[in-house]
Amino acid sequence: MATRKKPVAPVDAAFAPVVKAFAKDGQVGLGSMFSSHAVLNVNGKVFAMLVRGRLVVKLPKARVDALVATAAAERFDPGHGRIMKEWAGFPAEAQPEWIGWAKEAYAYVAVAAGAGRVAKPRNRPRPRPAR
């Protein structure tokens, strides 16, 4: 029996320019997380997503603190009441700046995700000891 794939939801028009900005980067993937089907990741690590009409990006805590202090962004709450310290949300009104925020997030997360390095395979078969 053939397995069925979930249909891919179309990318929201507001987020499409952000997705397009990373389209040629082979290390960037598009997936889903929380209630969003528009999630960008680098080597499996999420760096930007569209949640409830806002761009949400992962940045260093100090950078998020500074953006919140200037009212440029809000801290991200995925909906369960726990504020995520390294995630900032930008309103739709700031959409012209979204690509810049996403690129900053990509640079931050790519270092942690080891972009540019070949990932070690997980669950490698281990040789059995001789009996």
Side-chain angles (χ1 to χ4, degrees), residues 55-125:
L55 173 70
V56 178
V57 297
K58 184 168 185 170
L59 298 168
K61 181 185 178 305
R63 180 72 168 129
V64 173
D65 292 344
L67 290 167
V68 169
T70 63
E74 296 178 350
R75 296 185 194 285
F76 176 61
D77 176 357
H80 50 69
R82 182 172 174 231
I83 302 295
M84 300 183 78
K85 297 174 189 172
E86 290 191 318
W87 290 88
F90 297 92
E93 297 79 39
Q95 188 177 354
E97 301 168 21
W98 281 9
I99 293 173
W101 295 122
K103 286 182 177 181
E104 184 176 341
Y106 172 87
Y108 172 61
V109 174
V111 171
R117 291 188 293 169
V118 176
K120 292 181 181 178
R122 294 183 185 191
N123 300 325
R124 292 181 299 215

